[in-house]
Amino acid sequence: MADGLKLAYFMVVKEGASFLGGLLLTDESGIPLDFRYTEPITPTKLQSVLYGKALESHLREEVIQKSLKELKGTPDLFILPASDLAGGWNAEVRCPVVALQKSQENPLAHQGEIFRATPRELLLQVADGAAPVRAIFAATMDLAAQDSAAAKLIEAGYHMDLVEPMERVAAALQTLVQPA
């Protein structure tokens, strides 16, 4: 499946005063192709004072994300937790950036249907009878790029749970910070 769709799931967790990031690259079936993570990064007291409220986004976008870009394969989509995108994502990524989350909405009429809820948010019906998946796009993505990314997500949704790999990244990062 070397030519198939590749999805990169990125997450940063905060454990105490430290931050740890992980990036899982999967194929269109959710099978891991690569996994990278950082060691815990603990900002100094001086860095905390100087960066203030910008510290966490700086660590996510400039330090952790950039240190994880040596993946085996180029992703077609870069997927974040919705909370990361809500704060405004400014990191440079060479593919479309989208946040995915399960929704509580009623199912759309048929599998593969797409409903535009807002200019940056789509509901994607990836499984018959299930609640649609919410896709929230980076502010820099135009409608054509969003539609192209949505088609890729629908394609992958036929083969996998689109949100579940993010749960795997979170679990993997938690195992790295838990004492043995």
Side-chain angles (χ1 to χ4, degrees):
M1 213 181 264
D3 297 316
L5 188 64
K6 294 180 182 76
L7 307 173
Y9 289 84
F10 174 76
M11 174 177 274
V12 173
V13 296
K14 185 176 181 188
E15 186 68 32
S18 298
F19 295 83
L20 177 73
L23 183 59
L24 173 66
L25 184 69
T26 73
D27 68 11
E28 63 192 18
S29 297
I31 303 299
L33 300 172
D34 196 5
F35 179 69
R36 304 293 169 125
Y37 64 92
T38 64
E39 294 298 323
I41 298 169
T42 306
T44 65
K45 190 171 187 174
L46 181 59
Q47 287 171 322
S48 296
V49 170
L50 292 175
Y51 280 90
K53 292 179 180 178
L55 178 65
E56 196 165 328
S57 64
H58 170 74
L59 287 172
R60 287 177 194 281
E61 299 171 17
E62 296 298 322
V63 177
I64 295 172
Q65 187 266 326
K66 283 186 177 179
S67 71
L68 295 174
K69 62 182 176 182
E70 297 299 323
L71 284 172
K72 294 177 186 168
T74 303
D76 295 289
L77 297 172
F78 193 83
I79 301 168
L80 307 167
S83 58
D84 285 1
L85 199 55
W89 183 260
N90 296 315
E92 190 174 312
V93 180
R94 293 188 177 139
C95 61
V97 176
V98 61
L100 297 178
Q101 63 185 176
K102 295 178 179 178
S103 78
Q104 300 298 318
E105 303 293 330
N106 290 327
L108 301 176
H110 57 84
Q111 188 174 7
E113 185 173 347
I114 298 170
F115 173 77
R116 183 168 297 282
T118 71
R120 290 183 44 212
E121 183 179 330
L122 299 175
L123 294 176
L124 311 171
Q125 190 63 47
V126 295
D128 280 330
V133 171
R134 184 177 314 279
I136 305 163
F137 295 96
T140 57
M141 286 183 65
D142 63 27
L143 293 178
Q146 290 178 24
D147 290 343
S148 175
K152 291 175 184 177
L153 289 167
I154 291 290
E155 175 188 334
Y158 285 114
H159 307 286
M160 66 181 282
D161 177 341
L162 293 172
V163 179
E164 186 269 339
M166 190 63 76
E167 296 165 2
R168 285 190 262 157
V169 175
L173 293 175
Q174 287 303 312
T175 61
L176 291 169
V177 296
Q178 298 298 323

